[in-house]
Amino acid sequence: MNATAPILSRTGHEPKAKLVPSQIAHFVLYTKRFAEMVPWYKTVFQMHASHEDENLAFLTYDYEHHRVAIVQVPHMKDPQDGVAGFHHVAFTYRSLHDLLVTHERLQTHGIRPYWAVNHGPTTSVYFRDPDGNRVEMQVDNFDSAEEGIAFCRLPEFAENPIGVDFEPAELLRRLRAGETEAALKVRPNIGPRDLKSGFPAG
Ligand SMILES: [Fe+2]
């Protein structure tokens, strides 16, 4: 990228005075289940290795050298629930179709989500990797970031900041039957949902 080019928002040119990162580049996982983790990430995100040996894998799906690095560290303790810190990472797909077809493809591999939820700003499907780390696949429900932010300011988001659960296979069936993505991404109104109790155990 041209070093003098303005930083772009999702909706177009938006010159910024602040020097900020252009994107999140990657995350790194230490694991004692290297032989399970590497194929899982390759399968789930259709990644390939830009480097791979018996202890280290750099995985990517695009121009970046690696989006995920996985490091074999024997005798690691498993990640633990109930501990403060990193909770999940989210990957954005280009369309609801791409998200739901990916979910369908993963079912054939026996990889199933623990939660599918329309948050309002996004439609999201959550998985656990073999170590139990959570990864989210999402699609933006609005064409612009501004519209998504505006939704988060509505009273219906204040009373339910978590979302409305959905069944991915059913949503894909409706999409294939001819309903529009825009219509299927509208979050239904189910009234209040508590932030503390509303998240599933996953
Ligand atoms: Fe998220």
Side-chain angles (χ1 to χ4, degrees), residues 88-90 119 124 126 136 138:
H88 68 268
V89 61
H119 284 303
S124 299
Y126 289 80
E136 174 184 2
Q138 69 172 35

Side-chain angles (χ1 to χ4, degrees), residues 80 82-88 134:
Q80 289 190 335
V83 176
F86 173 85
H87 184 271
H88 68 268
R134 303 168 192 86

Side-chain angles (χ1 to χ4, degrees), residues 10 45 89-103 116-127 135-145 148 166 168 171 175 180-187:
R10 264 175 51 214
F45 294 108
V89 61
F91 293 81
T92 297
Y93 283 78
R94 291 182 178 82
S95 66
L96 183 65
H97 169 271
D98 289 4
L99 176 73
L100 296 175
V101 168
T102 297
H103 169 271
V117 59
N118 185 329
H119 284 303
T122 68
T123 297
S124 299
V125 183
Y126 289 80
F127 297 83
V135 294
E136 174 184 2
M137 295 177 175
Q138 69 172 35
V139 61
D140 283 302
N141 287 346
F142 296 99
D143 291 337
S144 71
F166 70 93
L171 216 58
L175 188 63
T180 66
E181 296 216 358
L184 292 174
K185 292 193 297 186
V186 174
R187 192 180 88 167

Side-chain angles (χ1 to χ4, degrees), residues 17-184:
K18 292 188 290 187
L19 297 179
V20 299
S22 59
Q23 61 172 315
I24 296 174
H26 63 254
F27 63 98
V28 179
L29 296 167
Y30 281 23
T31 182
K32 62 182 179 187
R33 295 186 183 85
F34 186 80
E36 294 173 65
M37 290 281 277
V38 173
W40 194 89
Y41 277 91
K42 284 181 177 175
T43 298
V44 168
F45 294 108
Q46 305 205 84
M47 296 198 205
H48 61 273
S50 53
H51 169 84
E52 183 174 356
D53 61 35
E54 60 273 18
N55 294 308
L56 175 63
F58 289 139
L59 305 179
T60 188
Y61 47 73
D62 62 5
Y63 54 85
E64 193 74 14
H65 176 264
H66 61 286
R67 290 294 183 183
V68 181
I70 301 176
V71 185
Q72 166 89 320
V73 184
H75 315 303
M76 289 286 288
K77 291 179 184 163
D78 283 324
Q80 289 190 335
D81 288 337
V83 176
F86 173 85
H87 184 271
H88 68 268
V89 61
F91 293 81
T92 297
Y93 283 78
R94 291 182 178 82
S95 66
L96 183 65
H97 169 271
D98 289 4
L99 176 73
L100 296 175
V101 168
T102 297
H103 169 271
E104 183 181 60
R105 177 179 63 81
L106 293 177
Q107 282 202 303
T108 68
H109 293 274
I111 297 173
R112 293 188 164 77
Y114 69 85
W115 194 26
V117 59
N118 185 329
H119 284 303
T122 68
T123 297
S124 299
V125 183
Y126 289 80
F127 297 83
R128 289 263 205 171
D129 76 12
D131 265 354
N133 302 300
R134 303 168 192 86
V135 294
E136 174 184 2
M137 295 177 175
Q138 69 172 35
V139 61
D140 283 302
N141 287 346
F142 296 99
D143 291 337
S144 71
E146 290 79 5
E147 290 171 281
I149 292 167
F151 181 88
C152 295
R153 296 194 175 121
L154 295 176
E156 68 182 86
F157 189 78
E159 71 174 8
N160 176 7
I162 300 167
V164 179
D165 296 359
F166 70 93
E167 173 50 56
E170 169 63 9
L171 216 58
L172 183 57
R173 187 196 64 73
R174 290 172 61 184
L175 188 63
R176 284 174 170 155
E179 293 187 56
T180 66
E181 296 216 358
L184 292 174

